Amino acid sequence: MSRLVLMQGNEACVEGAIACGMRFFAGYPITPSTEIAEYCALRLPMVKGHFIQMEDEIASMAAVIGASVAGVKSMTATSGPGFSLKQENIGYASAAEIPCVIVNAQRSGPSTGLPTSPSQGDVMQSRWGTHGDHPIIVLSPSSVSETYTLIIRAFNLSEKYRTPVIFLMDEMVGHLREGIEIPEHIEIVNRKVIKGGQSQHMPYRIPDGECAPVFAPFGEGDRYNITGLIHDESGFPTNSHIEANRMITRLMRKIEDNVDDIVATEERYTEDADIAVLCYGGTTRSVLEAIDEARSKGIRVGMFRPITLWPFPEKELFKLSGKIKKLIVAEHNYGQIVLEAERVVKNNCSLKFTGKVDGTLISPAEILRAIEED
Amino acid sequence: MVKLVIVMKTLKTIDKWCKGCGICVEFCPKNVLGLIDDKVTVQNKEECIFCGQCELRCPDYAIFAEENNYEQAGFNARQ
Amino acid sequence: MASQLVEKYMRTEHLPHIWCPGCGNGVIMHAVVRAIDKLELDKNKVCIVSGIGCSSRAAGYLDFNTIHTTHGRALAFATGIKLAKPELEVVVIAGDGDIAAIGGNHLIHAARRNVGMTVVVINNNIYGMTGGQYSPATPAGEFGTTAPYGNIDRPFDIAALAAGAGASFTARGTVYNPAQITSCIQKGILHKGFSLIECISVCPVYYGRKNKKGSVIDMIKWQRDNSIPVEKAGKLPPEELKGKIVTGVLSQATYPEYTEEYAKIIEKVSGGINYEQA
């Protein structure tokens, strides 16, 4: 039987992560994600896991990768400035194919910004924050209940594709308290590993039918090398242009070739819609209220919500754009995912953006206005 | 019955790894070594006392004492 | 075929290594495996963690669980590994720039926490990989490509820095005396907690040339002539220690080891407590 509990978004993030086997957390205090660290400090030793407060954000990210290398599902959480600091090591995890989950409870930026105010200004950074071409998966929850289930999916995808997954929360969802049902059954994906000592020192050789390497964790007999340098199948650095091309192409295609498995979206009231509002994260809540209001006025409007922000759900949005007259992109920033929407919908329908950078929530009234305007 | 084990030590060099820094030549207490064409060579084999200094100091693992043990069977104390 | 030791502990297919002729990195890497061999550690349980720089390339040549991480962050990666799997023997190999400049914060905090790991610092007084810029270990008055008029920074004493931050074991050796480095690393590995062994190395190409130190042999002889065992140094006035290298085990203390302390917390709160009541 499922259980009904009252929880904060940040707490649900921790409980979901623990439920799917997260046993290592390294972090550094920063608003508005701090509760995640506090809650991990309380909860992890209860389940024989480890929490450590590191000396800074960079070290937290590094420790998380280290723990994952040792075979433990690992997570860190941060906000704004801390997310910037973690970027180099996120790229390392991408290049070395070390699963890990990075929670970013977004706050208003840039720089120190408005530390306690909501924003969705890190959408582009979550995709391209670290240098160089690299694969990444970004998921964004819009409720406490979804935070619980989606963090599990974040771990599942990270383990399956051996890539860092950014769990892009925002202050609204992180600090929101609502009643949630803890599901009785959850699907858990653990990373595939071959038994220690059997990789023949070729940890990055991908076996047939696999999408990612299958090397065993440290300490189980394989004794391979991990590096952030361009490496060949042996894990040893190489300057070969052929190997560089092979490695980066494989990393990118690991995600590209599996978008159908990775991408998740939610549509509401789109069957008969003339207008659709694209939104994600905490903004969704204002959008749904505005849609109810508009529908009561007889306006046929629906919602399109990318749950997976990156890779961007191109196919799904393109399909919808052929059926509607107008797409409104509502996001809590100066216009970020709207650029992707423009690229995808082309001239299929008209496109309008409504955003905000003053640190206050986008209200249902503002969205309703955008719906009603031409 | 006593087993007699003969330990044979030989100084080995690896040309491919030697970078010709000359550290082993300089610090050899018995002047056993030299450089020819920037590669270490054993020049006075008989003088080597197998102190191991060259092996310890070589940054490139290009010189070492190889030990081979030979067991002589059928040896007894009376012989 | 190389020596038994090299064959057993190094990935010989990747040798010769990339380091310049006479570079001290190879000597110190040899000392690391000799120490591990003497302690008869299980190769499968040893992790070598390195950062970025010349010396950090050592990880790739060693046949253990090896990870070549990001610049300065080796200690933070190592902390994660050790905490996740305390049964692993974690050895960090890092250069002076890596550990004392970009990684300086991680150094003092890892030392303070006393996480069980052995840190082998290869101090060549310069940034070698990038071509000879002054490092936090370049003596004042010496030259680097970024100190064309002489370095006006004061250098760190890396072992003293670690000890000051709470490291429970610190030692120092020179590439002139690889046997002493081996013995210090052995003691460091056996020591429970955070141990740091500062190995005074030589960079004949960037540091040596720029500062007219002569050949690598001259540099090693300088180490021989300017090293003072710690036992003897204790009896000398400070002015006689100026510019000298004090070698041996410099400090040792017993503090609670981090992963053991955390295990006690787990012991106390796991199992019995229902989190909803906590």
Side-chain angles (χ1 to χ4, degrees):
Chain A
M1 236 184 62
S2 59
R3 290 182 296 133
L4 191 69
V5 289
L6 178 71
M7 248 187 220
Q8 192 195 47
N10 283 343
E11 284 171 10
C13 172
V14 176
E15 284 303 336
I18 287 176
C20 74
M22 185 272 287
R23 291 294 180 272
F24 184 90
F25 181 96
Y28 186 84
I30 189 163
T31 305
S33 74
T34 305
E35 293 85 358
I36 296 175
E38 290 173 340
Y39 206 58
C40 281
L42 178 76
R43 285 285 285 122
L44 276 172
M46 294 180 184
V47 292
K48 297 190 166 68
H50 287 85
F51 163 88
I52 187 168
Q53 182 170 310
M54 293 299 282
E55 55 275 16
D56 60 33
E57 298 279 3
I58 301 169
S60 309
M61 190 62 226
V64 159
I65 299 171
S68 182
V69 160
V72 177
K73 285 189 189 176
S74 306
M75 178 172 100
T76 184
T78 189
S79 300
F83 192 51
S84 295
L85 286 166
K86 289 189 192 298
Q87 294 301 332
E88 185 195 5
N89 283 335
I90 292 174
Y92 183 91
S94 232
E97 298 179 80
I98 312 300
C100 53
V101 172
I102 302 99
V103 181
N104 175 11
Q106 297 168 91
R107 69 188 216 187
S108 278
S111 189
T112 314
L114 290 166
T116 57
S117 296
S119 164
Q120 295 177 319
D122 305 346
V123 172
M124 281 295 170
Q125 189 188 20
S126 71
R127 175 64 194 92
W128 295 114
T130 196
H131 58 280
D133 289 305
H134 62 277
I136 202 98
I137 295 172
V138 181
L139 306 180
S140 168
S142 68
S143 69
V144 177
S145 153
E146 190 181 39
T147 299
Y148 186 96
T149 52
L150 198 59
I151 190 78
I152 294 168
R153 184 146 194 273
F155 275 96
N156 288 350
L157 291 171
S158 179
E159 294 283 314
K160 180 172 180 182
Y161 294 105
R162 289 215 187 216
T163 192
V165 172
I166 312 288
F167 196 63
L168 199 63
M169 295 175 71
D170 47 49
E171 192 275 340
M172 297 165 267
V173 174
H175 281 165
L176 184 72
R177 261 177 213 283
E178 52 188 5
I180 74 162
E181 258 182 65
I182 306 277
E184 196 178 357
H185 296 293
I186 54 170
E187 192 204 340
I188 296 174
V189 178
N190 292 319
R191 76 188 75 163
K192 277 193 187 164
V193 294
I194 52 166
K195 273 216 172 101
Q198 291 182 0
S199 78
Q200 274 122 26
H201 298 291
M202 284 294 168
Y204 288 92
R205 182 171 289 166
I206 314 298
D208 286 342
E210 298 298 339
C211 54
V214 291
F215 50 81
F218 270 14
E220 295 184 8
D222 256 355
R223 302 199 311 273
Y224 49 85
N225 185 51
I226 299 176
T227 177
L229 286 165
I230 294 290
H231 47 269
D232 58 20
E233 289 180 337
S234 74
F236 200 80
T238 171
N239 285 327
S240 154
H241 303 299
I242 295 165
E243 289 294 344
N245 181 55
R246 185 179 295 161
M247 175 184 146
I248 301 299
T249 308
R250 181 177 68 72
L251 287 182
M252 299 306 280
R253 292 198 55 176
K254 181 168 77 170
I255 305 302
E256 279 172 12
D257 292 352
N258 293 291
V259 282
D260 291 340
D261 180 44
I262 298 166
V263 164
T265 58
E266 185 196 6
E267 289 186 32
R268 285 207 204 175
Y269 318 113
T270 49
E271 303 79 22
D272 65 342
D274 298 318
I275 303 170
V277 184
L278 187 159
C279 59
Y280 51 88
T283 308
T284 308
R285 310 174 76 87
S286 295
V287 168
L288 284 175
E289 195 172 323
I291 289 174
D292 277 350
E293 188 91 357
R295 286 230 162 223
S296 71
K297 292 180 179 180
I299 307 170
R300 289 189 296 187
V301 55
M303 179 198 75
F304 177 84
R305 181 169 72 93
I307 298 168
T308 308
L309 278 174
W310 303 106
F312 187 72
E314 311 180 344
K315 244 192 289 183
E316 294 75 5
L317 182 63
F318 183 76
K319 201 172 141 203
L320 176 69
S321 67
K323 299 194 295 189
I324 55 174
K325 295 190 183 102
K326 181 166 90 171
L327 179 74
I328 298 164
V329 177
E331 52 180 339
H332 209 296
N333 54 43
Y334 203 73
Q336 297 195 12
I337 213 75
V338 67
L339 302 171
E340 281 296 294
E342 276 170 11
R343 180 176 69 80
V344 171
V345 306
K346 298 195 175 71
N347 295 322
N348 278 359
C349 63
S350 71
L351 195 144
K352 194 171 165 176
F353 171 72
T354 177
K356 208 165 195 187
V357 288
D358 65 357
T360 62
L361 294 169
I362 302 183
S363 67
E366 286 167 279
I367 300 196
L368 186 63
R369 213 175 303 132
I371 292 170
E372 288 174 334
E373 278 168 10
D374 275 332
Chain B
M1 193 80 152
V2 176
K3 264 189 196 166
L4 184 68
V5 179
I6 302 167
V7 181
M8 291 280 290
K9 282 190 176 181
T10 333
L11 212 48
K12 294 257 179 179
T13 60
I14 305 175
D15 265 15
K16 220 178 93 186
W17 291 1
C18 177
K19 292 174 184 163
C21 66
I23 295 173
C24 58
V25 178
E26 179 65 29
F27 289 96
C28 173
K30 293 288 177 183
N31 293 319
V32 174
L33 307 168
L35 284 181
I36 295 177
D37 292 334
D38 277 340
K39 297 286 173 190
V40 60
T41 46
V42 182
Q43 292 178 343
N44 303 303
K45 201 167 84 180
E46 315 69 41
E47 296 294 313
C48 178
I49 54 168
F50 296 101
C51 65
Q53 289 289 312
C54 52
E55 185 176 341
L56 270 180
R57 292 182 194 287
C58 174
D60 299 289
Y61 324 120
I63 187 162
F64 61 99
E66 191 179 70
E67 273 187 30
N68 284 305
N69 297 349
Y70 301 95
E71 241 175 55
Q72 200 142 331
F75 226 82
N76 67 42
R78 216 178 292 165
Q79 281 172 301
Chain C
M1 282 290 278
S3 74
Q4 281 182 2
L5 193 74
V6 168
E7 290 287 344
K8 184 171 175 191
Y9 294 105
M10 293 192 196
R11 295 173 176 144
T12 50
E13 68 273 24
H14 295 301
L15 295 175
H17 50 59
I18 59 161
W19 299 314
C20 305
C23 173
N25 288 342
V27 179
I28 296 159
M29 186 163 94
H30 207 177
V32 170
V33 298
R34 210 175 303 112
I36 288 171
D37 186 62
K38 285 189 174 170
L39 294 171
E40 296 177 350
L41 301 181
D42 178 354
K43 279 167 77 173
N44 291 328
K45 297 293 174 200
V46 174
C47 298
I48 306 286
V49 187
S50 68
I52 294 292
C54 292
S55 56
S56 289
R57 294 302 282 266
Y61 299 118
L62 296 171
D63 189 16
F64 303 102
N65 303 280
T66 62
I67 177 164
H68 174 231
T69 69
T70 49
H71 196 20
R73 320 301 174 197
L75 290 172
F77 278 78
T79 300
I81 294 171
K82 183 69 182 177
L83 209 51
K85 260 193 192 163
E87 69 271 23
L88 297 178
E89 194 64 62
V90 178
V91 177
V92 175
I93 300 178
D96 47 312
D98 196 46
I99 205 137
I102 189 166
N105 198 28
H106 310 309
L107 171 62
I108 57 175
H109 288 278
R112 169 179 70 82
R113 275 186 206 107
N114 203 33
V115 180
M117 60 174 78
T118 307
V119 185
V120 176
V121 178
I122 302 184
N123 181 356
N124 64 356
N125 310 101
I126 204 90
Y127 284 93
M129 189 67 98
T130 44
Q133 298 74 32
Y134 70 95
S135 85
T138 303
E142 303 235 313
F143 295 88
T145 57
T146 47
Y149 309 114
N151 178 26
I152 55 171
D153 279 21
R154 291 161 61 215
F156 267 141
D157 174 334
I158 296 172
L161 173 67
S168 50
F169 178 99
T170 61
R172 190 183 289 117
T174 64
V175 286
Y176 166 71
N177 191 350
Q180 184 183 39
I181 294 181
T182 307
S183 133
C184 287
I185 296 172
Q186 253 180 283
K187 288 174 189 159
I189 293 173
L190 286 176
H191 174 81
K192 193 190 278 182
F194 182 92
S195 56
L196 181 139
I197 299 94
E198 182 183 8
C199 307
I200 306 299
S201 187
V202 284
C203 172
V205 173
Y206 290 111
Y207 181 71
R209 271 189 212 155
K210 197 91 195 165
N211 289 289
K212 303 195 167 51
K213 299 285 183 191
S215 68
V216 65
I217 289 155
D218 295 327
M219 293 176 80
I220 294 175
K221 282 183 175 168
W222 184 89
Q223 291 188 350
R224 177 192 65 195
D225 301 338
N226 289 278
S227 294
I228 300 177
V230 64
E231 299 79 15
K232 202 177 152 196
K235 293 171 194 145
L236 294 173
E239 57 272 18
E240 279 187 48
L241 293 175
K242 220 175 167 200
K244 304 288 182 191
I245 306 166
V246 178
T247 62
V249 175
L250 306 174
S251 68
Q252 191 161 12
T254 309
Y255 304 126
E257 195 274 330
Y258 191 91
T259 59
E260 288 189 1
E261 292 303 298
Y262 203 95
K264 288 180 197 164
I265 296 179
I266 291 179
E267 176 90 354
K268 204 160 84 183
V269 303
S270 67
I273 298 175
N274 182 344
Y275 75 88
E276 283 169 341
Q277 294 159 1

